[in-house]
Amino acid sequence: MQQQIESIVLPNGLAIVSERMPDTRAAAFCWLLPGGSVYQQPGKAGTSTILADLLFRGAGQRSGRELLGQLSLLGVQNEESITPAHLVLSGVTQARNLVETLPVYADILRRPHLPEEEFDAARSGLEMTLASNEDDPRQKLTLELRRRTYPAPWGIPADGELADLPAIDMEDVRQLAKSSLQPHQAIFSVASSLAMSDLLPTLEKLLGDWQPGEITAPPLPPTTGGYEHLTHESQQTQIGIAYPAADSTHPDYLKAWAIVSILSGGMSSRLFTEVREKRGLCYSVSANLHSLKGAARVICSASSQNERAQETLDVLLIELQRLKLGIAEEELSRCKALAKSSLVMAQDSTSSRAASIARDWYQLGYVRTLQSLKQQIEDLTVPDLLAYLDRWPLANLQILTVGPQPLVNNMAQ
Amino acid sequence: MQQQIESIVLPNGLAIVSERMPDTRAAAFCWLLPGGSVYQQPGKAGTSTILADLLFRGAGQRSGRELLGQLSLLGVQNEESITPAHLVLSGVTQARNLVETLPVYADILRRPHLPEEEFDAARSGLEMTLASNEDDPRQKLTLELRRRTYPAPWGIPADGELADLPAIDMEDVRQLAKSSLQPHQAIFSVASSLAMSDLLPTLEKLLGDWQPGEITAPPLPPTTGGYEHLTHESQQTQIGIAYPAADSTHPDYLKAWAIVSILSGGMSSRLFTEVREKRGLCYSVSANLHSLKGAARVICSASSQNERAQETLDVLLIELQRLKLGIAEEELSRCKALAKSSLVMAQDSTSSRAASIARDWYQLGYVRTLQSLKQQIEDLTVPDLLAYLDRWPLANLQILTVGPQPLVNNMAQ
């Protein structure tokens, strides 16, 4: 499980992180640019997504069609996404084509045309995506719960807001491009059979003279929680609960992660057993640990028939409270076994590794090896987890339901 | 790219197919049992899913809790699914735990408890899943389009039908278990660092005396197409088009696949360019090749704002008709480049390989190597594709829309 991770920071600030995976012919890469949703102007959520779209509509010497054609000929399967902190350009291709891909991305980042005449098409495309999220109650729950549990602008829907779109104009996009498409706080990661030395000369030539800007992320204050209901005519009620946990930069992070695994990892987990198997309250129930840099939440969600939704919420809340009463050794053993098989699988996937090393670099300033993660998970004990639950009591719960009728938060009484 | 594929058929009919991937520590496996949705009694769609659920509620010496606990301790991340032809039990874990996993699955397949007292919980769980599909117009489009383009029982929703659930009882589940949990036409596939010789002694001991039954899949007659609309109050109209193509057992299969890639592979593809980039008609548009054994369909889908839905349907139909007028060499080159990078990626994933070799064995009776696929794709020419389009003209289109208002099929006029 020995990993070969190399990193370098260019004088202009661009961090380059590479994991060498000698046995694969695939190559995956991620560009993390400081142009995520928190950097948009207030009331203009969607600017980042429109920028990401326009970046591929022509750059350097290439028109939009030529640019996309070139990426296809290089076998690049690209994907763009917006997180609170970053505008992310990722892709996978054959390792043999990777070096040739770099000049195309250097053009996209440094010399995008951002054609004004295509702004309307990009915005109306985004409008359609956001509208179809509105039609899906599960999507709606996820987005609206994050909005409530994280403070603005960290909780706003990263892809954008329907209501904000009319206010966005080309000038907003240009401003965001200017502040975010620069090397300060930008990260480029690669997972492939190539060594850093295979990539660095090309990267230095393409990006060494890229001029840095200055950018600061907005603060991330604490939140307090509460209960809200959104009315939606549907056969099922969607239930979401979010509450604070140790984030990925915190020494307690893996303990938070283990608690969530005990709640929701696999078919022996507590939520699966108590909510689904024993009571048949719902078919889909899960808990995840969602971490920003500096704040994290446990996010539980379930969808239940409307008439059993109240009971589902009650049982979920009881399970969360019951954690501190005790954890069986066997629960922790199962959690460790599942973690180890997940780590073994992550090791085979270039795209999973490219995303992980970039995220680690952003959140931690270094890359956690799978070996060290495995060791830290192996070392966890039940008393560790119970002590964590003392330090991070169940508090500031944000509850959200989406369905025909509101429920009652019986824990608040 | 040399692959090490071994296969053996036990005297009782069970096919065992293994791909050795020496560089990975992960192991993935698939059990394909002839208990898919086409084997259910008419009017009892959902029996297969309920059976798959009950299989994990106790088997051999283990109660349900013990069984699930044991799988977790072995690091197994299991997943069950129903296809028209198969009840599929798949999983991934560490290669070092794979041999120990086999007796657990042998119990599940040969000695399941199928506890009657848990039947109601399994059925009501399924009811909730199906109800939440009803709430999602995109899901609804996919399921209802397949129902219309494939003949019954091949087109019925594989997971089940809400309306059928009350008619299903425990006896139906037992009958299906009897006919499907036996080695005749069953396939077990593994992708891991282990060789067949590492697995075979254990498999023979566990399954060598498993008694075969007899089972025959229902016939798969042709269908004719048409247009239907389902009313759903939503902001977007979902549009689906399906029409026959060469299936995976047909010598023309890769040509059908290449046509679909030209339509929809990557951001330079025709649908992306014409529907999304040039006209901004919708954000999500795609075409896929869906293949059963003996019949396949090109399935196009798009979601569009209601007021632009008619134009979207018109443009989609024109693009499908326009294919036979010509294909540029560059389109084929892009398709080949994307195919090659996909093949390189597939090679790293044990779960992708375990699923592929099992499916190949079922559909073809042998395993296509990635090398031979790559060569066949490399050999495709534009005249090949145009000749294919002559042999497989655009006919018997099934069109389905889901949204507030029906559209008009202008191609039919």
Side-chain angles (χ1 to χ4, degrees):
Chain A
M1 228 194 227
Q2 190 59 47
Q3 288 174 282
Q4 303 175 43
I5 292 164
E6 297 176 278
S7 60
I8 193 166
V9 180
L10 298 186
N12 60 17
L14 176 68
I16 303 169
V17 194
S18 142
E19 175 160 350
R20 195 167 184 188
M21 300 169 69
D23 299 322
T24 179
R25 292 179 172 210
F29 59 86
C30 281
W31 297 92
L32 263 54
L33 289 313
S37 52
V38 303
Y39 297 103
Q40 302 168 126
Q41 295 300 314
K44 301 203 173 184
T47 312
S48 295
T49 307
I50 295 172
L51 171 58
D53 178 319
L54 290 177
L55 285 179
F56 289 82
R57 297 184 185 238
Q61 305 296 315
R62 294 180 186 90
S63 71
R65 295 211 65 168
E66 288 163 350
L67 178 71
L68 298 175
Q70 181 65 22
L71 288 176
S72 293
L73 283 174
L74 290 167
V76 175
Q77 303 188 16
N78 59 304
E79 197 178 322
E80 292 69 54
S81 60
I82 307 297
T83 67
H86 294 110
L87 189 161
V88 184
L89 310 181
S90 45
V92 282
T93 183
Q94 298 188 71
R96 54 192 279 186
N97 293 345
L98 182 61
V99 172
E100 266 190 273
T101 302
L102 299 176
V104 184
Y105 274 86
D107 274 346
I108 290 170
L109 295 172
R110 300 190 62 182
R111 289 168 288 278
H113 300 170
L114 303 180
E116 182 146 14
E117 65 277 16
E118 304 202 27
F119 172 83
D120 284 341
R123 182 171 59 182
S124 83
L126 176 58
E127 187 183 345
M128 288 182 245
T129 307
L130 298 178
S132 75
N133 290 346
E134 288 288 314
D135 286 341
D136 179 350
R138 281 172 287 201
Q139 275 278 359
K140 203 176 165 79
L141 180 87
T142 307
L143 294 175
E144 294 300 326
L145 184 58
R146 281 200 197 163
R147 184 206 299 281
R148 286 161 176 78
T149 191
Y150 287 118
W154 291 90
I156 59 168
D159 287 341
E161 303 247 44
L162 266 183
D164 286 2
L165 296 190
I168 302 171
D169 62 25
M170 194 61 210
E171 191 47 34
D172 297 315
V173 175
R174 284 196 204 99
Q175 291 272 355
L176 184 66
K178 187 162 186 296
S179 63
S180 61
L181 303 180
Q182 48 79 27
H184 176 62
Q185 299 202 4
I187 300 166
F188 175 58
S189 72
V190 176
S192 74
S193 58
L194 302 182
M196 181 66 93
S197 58
D198 299 322
L199 300 167
L200 194 57
T202 307
L203 285 167
E204 279 179 333
K205 207 174 110 210
L206 292 167
L207 301 170
D209 60 351
W210 197 11
Q211 288 305 309
E214 263 301 329
I215 193 154
T216 314
L220 185 43
T223 47
T224 52
Y227 171 60
E228 273 185 78
H229 175 77
L230 302 175
T231 301
H232 185 99
E233 286 316 315
S234 47
Q235 303 206 19
Q236 303 257 315
T237 297
Q238 309 294 323
I239 301 168
I241 304 172
Y243 62 95
D247 79 279
S248 56
T249 66
H250 194 285
D252 276 344
Y253 176 65
L254 281 179
K255 293 167 201 134
W257 178 89
I259 295 289
V260 169
S261 172
I262 285 166
L263 275 175
S264 180
M267 291 170 80
S268 290
S269 64
R270 290 193 179 189
L271 295 185
F272 195 89
T273 305
E274 297 296 327
V275 181
R276 177 174 150 163
E277 294 295 320
K278 283 199 195 159
R279 295 186 182 78
L281 284 171
C282 62
Y283 211 68
S284 115
V285 56
S286 66
N288 292 291
L289 183 59
H290 180 265
S291 184
L292 300 172
K293 180 178 181 174
R297 300 290 185 267
V298 177
I299 298 197
C300 303
S301 56
S303 55
S304 170
Q305 283 169 301
N306 296 328
E307 56 276 23
R308 307 196 71 184
Q310 182 66 54
E311 189 183 352
T312 304
L313 174 60
D314 293 345
V315 173
L316 282 173
L317 290 171
I318 287 168
E319 285 307 313
L320 296 178
Q321 291 172 290
R322 199 166 66 88
L323 277 167
K324 65 171 187 281
L325 302 183
I327 291 169
E329 286 293 342
E330 206 198 317
E331 290 182 288
L332 181 57
S333 304
R334 286 196 301 256
C335 152
K336 290 180 181 182
L338 288 172
K340 277 185 275 184
S341 70
S342 294
L343 289 175
V344 155
M345 268 167 274
Q347 219 173 343
D348 287 340
S349 162
T350 54
S351 41
S352 155
R353 292 307 304 154
S356 291
I357 64 179
R359 192 177 51 234
D360 276 2
W361 190 270
Y362 160 63
Q363 294 188 330
L364 305 170
Y366 66 92
V367 172
R368 280 181 300 214
T369 62
L370 296 172
Q371 181 58 44
S372 82
L373 271 173
K374 190 182 160 208
Q375 190 57 52
Q376 288 175 60
I377 289 167
E378 199 54 72
D379 292 344
L380 289 174
T381 65
V382 168
D384 286 344
L385 299 187
L386 294 173
Y388 168 87
L389 291 166
D390 270 347
R391 285 194 297 278
W392 292 85
L394 195 64
N396 296 319
L397 268 78
Q398 177 67 53
I399 302 177
L400 180 69
T401 52
V402 178
Q405 293 294 334
L407 308 179
V408 178
N409 173 8
N410 285 314
M411 205 172 106
Q413 289 164 3
Chain B
M1 230 194 225
Q2 189 60 46
Q3 288 174 283
Q4 303 174 43
I5 292 164
E6 297 176 277
S7 61
I8 194 166
V9 180
L10 298 186
N12 60 17
L14 176 67
I16 303 168
V17 194
S18 142
E19 176 160 349
R20 195 167 184 187
M21 300 169 69
D23 299 322
T24 179
R25 292 179 171 209
F29 59 85
C30 281
W31 297 91
L32 263 53
L33 288 313
S37 52
V38 302
Y39 297 103
Q40 302 168 126
Q41 295 299 314
K44 300 203 172 184
T47 313
S48 295
T49 307
I50 295 172
L51 171 57
D53 178 320
L54 290 176
L55 285 179
F56 289 82
R57 296 184 186 239
Q61 304 296 313
R62 294 179 186 91
S63 71
R65 295 212 64 166
E66 288 163 350
L67 178 71
L68 298 175
Q70 180 66 23
L71 288 176
S72 293
L73 284 174
L74 290 168
V76 176
Q77 303 187 15
N78 59 303
E79 197 178 322
E80 292 70 54
S81 60
I82 307 297
T83 66
H86 294 110
L87 190 162
V88 184
L89 310 182
S90 45
V92 281
T93 183
Q94 298 189 71
R96 54 193 280 187
N97 292 345
L98 182 61
V99 171
E100 267 190 273
T101 302
L102 299 176
V104 183
Y105 274 86
D107 275 347
I108 290 170
L109 295 172
R110 299 191 62 182
R111 289 168 288 278
H113 300 169
L114 303 180
E116 182 146 14
E117 65 277 17
E118 303 202 27
F119 172 83
D120 284 341
R123 182 171 57 182
S124 83
L126 176 57
E127 188 183 344
M128 288 182 245
T129 307
L130 298 178
S132 75
N133 290 346
E134 288 288 314
D135 286 341
D136 179 350
R138 281 172 287 201
Q139 275 278 359
K140 204 177 166 81
L141 180 87
T142 307
L143 294 175
E144 294 300 326
L145 184 58
R146 281 199 197 164
R147 185 206 299 281
R148 285 160 177 78
T149 191
Y150 287 118
W154 291 90
I156 59 169
D159 286 342
E161 303 246 44
L162 266 183
D164 286 2
L165 296 189
I168 302 172
D169 62 25
M170 193 60 209
E171 190 47 33
D172 297 315
V173 175
R174 284 196 204 98
Q175 291 273 355
L176 184 66
K178 188 162 185 296
S179 63
S180 62
L181 303 180
Q182 49 79 28
H184 176 62
Q185 299 202 3
I187 300 166
F188 176 58
S189 72
V190 176
S192 75
S193 58
L194 302 182
M196 181 67 93
S197 58
D198 299 322
L199 300 166
L200 195 57
T202 307
L203 285 167
E204 279 179 333
K205 206 175 112 212
L206 292 167
L207 301 170
D209 61 351
W210 197 11
Q211 288 304 309
E214 263 301 329
I215 193 153
T216 314
L220 185 43
T223 48
T224 53
Y227 171 59
E228 274 185 76
H229 175 77
L230 301 175
T231 301
H232 185 100
E233 286 315 315
S234 47
Q235 303 206 18
Q236 304 258 313
T237 298
Q238 309 294 322
I239 301 169
I241 304 173
Y243 62 95
D247 79 280
S248 56
T249 66
H250 193 285
D252 276 344
Y253 176 65
L254 281 179
K255 293 167 202 137
W257 177 89
I259 295 289
V260 170
S261 172
I262 286 166
L263 275 175
S264 180
M267 291 170 79
S268 290
S269 64
R270 291 194 179 188
L271 295 185
F272 195 89
T273 306
E274 297 296 327
V275 181
R276 177 175 150 163
E277 294 295 319
K278 283 199 196 159
R279 295 186 182 78
L281 284 171
C282 62
Y283 210 67
S284 116
V285 57
S286 66
N288 292 291
L289 183 59
H290 179 266
S291 184
L292 300 172
K293 181 179 181 174
R297 300 288 185 269
V298 177
I299 298 197
C300 303
S301 56
S303 55
S304 170
Q305 283 169 303
N306 296 328
E307 56 276 23
R308 307 197 72 183
Q310 182 65 54
E311 189 184 352
T312 304
L313 174 60
D314 294 344
V315 173
L316 282 173
L317 290 171
I318 288 168
E319 284 307 314
L320 296 178
Q321 291 173 290
R322 199 166 66 88
L323 277 167
K324 64 170 187 281
L325 302 184
I327 290 169
E329 286 293 342
E330 206 197 317
E331 290 182 287
L332 181 56
S333 304
R334 287 196 301 256
C335 152
K336 290 180 180 182
L338 288 172
K340 277 186 276 184
S341 71
S342 294
L343 289 175
V344 155
M345 268 168 271
Q347 220 172 343
D348 287 339
S349 162
T350 53
S351 40
S352 155
R353 291 307 303 154
S356 291
I357 64 180
R359 192 177 50 233
D360 276 2
W361 190 269
Y362 160 63
Q363 294 188 330
L364 305 170
Y366 66 92
V367 172
R368 280 181 299 214
T369 62
L370 296 172
Q371 181 58 44
S372 82
L373 272 172
K374 190 182 161 209
Q375 190 57 52
Q376 288 175 60
I377 289 167
E378 200 52 73
D379 292 344
L380 289 174
T381 65
V382 168
D384 286 344
L385 300 187
L386 294 173
Y388 168 87
L389 291 166
D390 270 347
R391 284 194 298 278
W392 292 84
L394 195 64
N396 296 320
L397 268 80
Q398 177 66 53
I399 302 177
L400 180 69
T401 52
V402 178
Q405 293 293 334
L407 308 179
V408 177
N409 173 8
N410 285 315
M411 204 173 107
Q413 289 165 1

